[in-house]
Amino acid sequence: MRLGVPRHHHRLTDSTNSRARELAEAGTPGGTLVTADEQSAGRGRQGRRWSAPPGKALLASLVMRPLEKRHALLPLAVPLAVSEAIESLAPVACRLKWPNDVWIEERKVCGILIEASPSQGWAVVGIGINVGIEGHEFPEELRDTATSVGHGATVEALLAAVLERLESWTEAPERELLAAFRERDALRGRRISWAGGAGTAAGVDEAGGLLVESAAGRLVSLTAGEVHLTVEQ
Ligand code: BTN
């Protein structure tokens, strides 16, 4: 699937994911891309908001269709592609906070929101990357936990690199994808907690779930979606 064609660019829209969902419902082909300089109601995971100053973040949503078995690990393929794209443009190292946050030095640089309609056979992959946002431009409550790519990287160069890497990772064998994700796993060995429990992160299983070992030595697998993890320092 050629990603990024056709492309619909908005100077301002409420949410590129909302625009892409409308296009998907209307039958747009797989690979369709929606981008914006600014969003008035950007959406994050678990009903949170996502905001960024105009022109300083990559705000993009891709329509993936048809959905095939190889897309099962899409939630892992996207942050992996984003990490490689960032590293191709800036001298930084990206690590991954399962399921799909990208971190630079333990601060979030990218968030991903995947919304799918399996019955209609499409998924919308929403990607928000802080490209050139200065520390003081982040909302007060994010100043200690968010970061930007920086180093003069541009939104368009980053977009091209993300599309290229994502085309490659969506075609890759699952085994390679899992190995590459595991190499960047920032949680392994860390104490984590969520609404249903707590334990030590113990890697990612074959289905892309997060393995967590409880104090009693019991292993559980968390599925991406609604789990909100807290990582202890
Ligand atoms: C998260 O909570 O970490 C996910 C954030 C996803 C934000 C991106 S920005 C482009 C796309 N449009 C949206 O409304 N959300 C996603």
Side-chain angles (χ1 to χ4, degrees):
M1 186 189 308
R2 172 92 196 282
L3 300 181
V5 181
R7 177 178 177 183
H8 302 256
H9 182 76
H10 299 263
R11 197 191 57 73
L12 171 68
T13 190
D14 53 356
S15 156
T16 55
N17 261 41
S18 300
R19 294 288 78 68
R21 288 181 65 134
E22 285 168 5
L23 291 167
E25 277 160 13
T28 200
T32 298
L33 173 68
V34 180
T35 51
D37 293 334
E38 186 181 3
Q39 297 181 123
S40 55
R43 293 191 277 114
R45 296 179 69 230
Q46 279 116 25
R48 289 190 294 261
R49 300 259 334 232
W50 182 271
S51 65
K56 297 196 170 187
L58 170 61
L59 306 168
S61 300
L62 271 168
V63 177
M64 308 295 288
R65 86 165 359 135
L67 286 182
E68 294 162 12
K69 192 182 160 288
R70 68 195 165 87
H71 290 124
L73 295 178
L74 198 55
L76 306 191
V78 182
L80 201 48
V82 168
S83 298
E84 291 181 349
I86 291 174
E87 289 176 0
S88 74
L89 295 175
V92 295
C94 294
R95 305 198 68 212
L96 302 173
K97 180 197 170 212
W98 182 93
N100 43 32
D101 285 354
V102 180
W103 278 355
I104 296 174
E105 292 177 357
E106 305 259 316
R107 289 167 180 246
K108 182 163 167 170
V109 67
C110 168
I112 290 158
L113 176 67
I114 300 180
E115 300 178 297
S117 169
S119 63
Q120 290 179 34
W122 54 258
V124 164
V125 174
I127 304 172
I129 308 177
N130 303 326
V131 181
I133 307 177
E134 305 284 340
H136 66 88
E137 293 178 296
F138 286 111
E140 184 81 45
E141 67 277 13
L142 296 182
R143 261 174 223 167
D144 293 339
T145 55
T147 192
S148 271
V149 176
H151 299 278
T154 65
V155 170
E156 283 303 308
L158 194 53
L159 174 64
V162 168
L163 295 176
E164 190 264 318
R165 296 314 304 145
L166 191 54
E167 263 183 31
S168 170
W169 278 118
T170 49
E171 303 287 333
E174 288 190 350
R175 168 178 50 76
E176 282 177 30
L177 178 62
L178 286 165
F181 191 95
R182 287 170 181 146
E183 267 184 35
R184 292 180 184 269
D185 182 355
L187 295 185
R188 198 181 179 104
R190 305 269 297 260
R191 289 275 312 162
I192 57 165
S193 56
W194 66 101
T200 303
V204 171
D205 67 19
E206 302 299 297
L210 181 72
L211 293 167
V212 187
E213 193 177 345
S214 71
R218 210 168 57 86
L219 210 53
V220 293
S221 173
L222 304 180
T223 42
E226 292 319 306
V227 188
H228 175 63
L229 294 179
T230 302
V231 185
E232 293 170 19
Q233 292 307 312

